[in-house]
Amino acid sequence: ASPGDTVIVLPGVYYESVDIDGDLTLASMDILSPNSHYLETIIDGVGHGRVIDMIGGCGEVNIYGLTIRNGDGTGISTSTYTASCGDINIQNCVITGFGNTAIAMGDEDDNVYISNCIINNTKSTNDWGVVTVSSSNTNVEIDHTVIFSHLPNTPLGIRLTSGESTLTISNSIIWGFDESILATNGGVVSVSNSCIENGWLGTNVIESNPEFQHPAAGNFRLSMMSPCIGAGSEYDISSFDLDGNPRPLPAGSIKDMGAYEHYLDTPVLFHDGRTIYVSTDGSDVSGSGTSVDPFASIQKGIDLALNNDVVLVSPGTYHENIIIGDKDILVTSEYFSSIDTSTINATIIDGDSS
């Protein structure tokens, strides 16, 4: 490719690492016609180092509509730590399964825009952060993005280490870390209209559970109960969500936080209690009933439910007989939160003829 070219990647799994050394757009078919091609257009690093590496003086780089996974180092990085790349746009991507850092910006004087992305399941056990900015005079904007982990020993979500750089977070969700954001050496962080676990000083920042539909399975769409529905701002980098739906949805409403718009304009506050999660891959012994640590049986969820709680059952076959007793609770499949009719037939209580 020559400087300024666009490389369109057709659906498939590409087991390789990619170096970018000039003005370039690297994209799936989604850049031509949004249709969730990011789910089937995958660059897999096969556990080797950096998967996409922008080397010195790379110019303007656009990375659009890809799934980037499985490196033992970094998903997307600028590697020289000397020359500037200029503008870097990372949009409509899923970045997952890294042993170190999902996105690492080390070049000086860059402008980095991350929008409509899902960044999840990256270890970052070395305190670098799943997203780390270590260069000077670098401005990073993160908008309508989910940064999430349900892995153990993942201490840090975003790390800003340069006092001469800025980080702006809007309409985003950071969840599942011991510490969501860490800024050292005087780095400036601005947060607005975002859901940050354990909170952060900013404008319209909430710290309630975002209530994703099924984060353990990689589904970071908002459930009907999510406090992130209708809690975003007018600002965004992209006018469409990760699925290609227009923002806001419905038209004329307030935009949502996160990478996906919900069809509702406000959350359904149908109960004042908790949501207790059940999944066939959960555990009644070590599970806590949360979305990332569910119980294995419906009865376990019911037994621990209090009045006004919801027991939300993920698709699967549950071989049990359940007793609700004298409780004012709701036991439901994911249809209630997603309006996906396929979950009705896929969520089965099998009494085994007993």
Side-chain angles (χ1 to χ4, degrees):
S2 300
D5 281 353
T6 296
V7 177
I8 301 293
V9 185
L10 297 181
V13 181
Y14 300 83
Y15 297 98
E16 59 180 297
S17 297
V18 177
D19 289 341
I20 298 175
D21 62 357
D23 294 349
L24 186 75
T25 295
L26 180 66
S28 71
M29 294 289 290
D30 277 336
I31 200 169
L32 303 177
S33 177
N35 193 26
S36 299
H37 292 293
Y38 68 91
L39 294 172
E40 54 191 18
T41 310
I42 302 164
I43 302 176
D44 189 315
V46 204
H48 301 305
R50 302 177 173 116
V51 178
I52 297 180
D53 198 4
M54 289 168 275
I55 56 183
C58 55
E60 180 177 337
V61 174
N62 302 293
I63 300 170
Y64 189 98
L66 300 168
T67 292
I68 301 157
R69 72 184 189 192
N70 295 344
D72 66 355
T74 302
I76 300 174
S77 66
T78 54
S79 66
T80 63
Y81 294 84
T82 52
S84 170
C85 268
D87 288 350
I88 300 169
N89 301 286
I90 303 168
Q91 188 172 336
N92 288 51
C93 289
V94 174
I95 305 168
T96 184
F98 288 91
N100 188 358
T101 299
I103 298 176
M105 295 292 114
D107 284 348
E108 297 181 352
D109 304 314
D110 288 340
N111 295 307
V112 183
Y113 306 96
I114 303 168
S115 65
N116 282 350
C117 288
I118 303 293
I119 303 170
N120 73 312
N121 291 358
T122 291
K123 274 283 190 181
S124 188
T125 54
N126 60 3
D127 291 337
W128 267 75
V130 170
V131 176
T132 185
V133 182
S134 57
S135 54
S136 61
N137 298 316
T138 294
N139 301 308
V140 178
E141 290 190 31
I142 299 175
D143 181 59
H144 284 297
T145 288
V146 174
I147 302 174
F148 177 88
S149 180
H150 71 267
L151 300 175
N153 302 317
T154 307
L156 187 55
I158 302 176
R159 182 173 183 255
L160 176 65
T161 63
S162 173
E164 299 173 340
S165 294
T166 62
L167 170 65
T168 303
I169 301 169
S170 58
N171 303 309
S172 295
I173 302 170
I174 305 174
W175 203 263
F177 303 95
D178 296 340
E179 190 169 11
S180 295
I181 305 168
L182 175 65
T184 59
N185 302 317
V188 177
V189 178
S190 175
V191 182
S192 64
N193 296 86
S194 293
C195 179
I196 311 294
E197 187 170 17
N198 300 317
W200 187 268
L201 184 63
T203 303
N204 296 326
V205 176
I206 64 175
E207 50 184 307
S208 302
N209 190 315
E211 299 285 1
F212 296 119
Q213 287 186 20
H214 200 344
N219 183 353
F220 294 95
R221 294 169 181 84
L222 303 176
S223 74
M224 296 174 69
M225 305 90 75
S226 174
C228 299
I229 295 174
S233 69
E234 288 302 311
Y235 174 81
D236 57 30
I237 295 174
S238 171
S239 57
F240 294 89
D241 74 359
L242 186 51
D243 279 338
N245 298 312
R247 295 189 187 276
L249 188 68
S253 64
I254 299 173
K255 298 169 185 174
D256 302 337
M257 298 174 182
Y260 303 98
E261 286 288 292
H262 200 280
Y263 69 92
L264 293 176
D265 57 357
T266 57
V268 176
L269 303 177
F270 59 88
H271 71 103
D272 297 323
R274 305 164 298 165
T275 300
I276 298 172
Y277 293 84
V278 178
S279 173
T280 53
D281 58 5
S283 172
D284 286 351
V285 177
S286 60
S288 60
T290 64
S291 59
V292 297
D293 192 23
F295 295 130
S297 71
I298 300 170
Q299 190 64 57
K300 180 70 171 181
I302 292 172
D303 290 345
L304 295 180
L306 305 175
N307 285 341
N308 298 318
D309 282 350
V310 173
V311 178
L312 189 63
V313 184
S314 294
T317 300
Y318 299 83
H319 297 276
E320 56 181 301
N321 301 88
I322 64 174
I323 300 172
I324 295 178
D326 188 20
K327 291 185 175 183
D328 182 11
I329 63 174
L330 174 65
V331 180
T332 179
S333 72
E334 291 182 354
Y335 172 76
F336 194 85
S337 60
S338 66
I339 314 298
D340 180 356
T341 56
S342 68
T343 63
I344 298 174
N345 292 331
T347 309
I348 302 164
I349 302 175
D350 190 326
D352 289 329
S353 300
S354 60

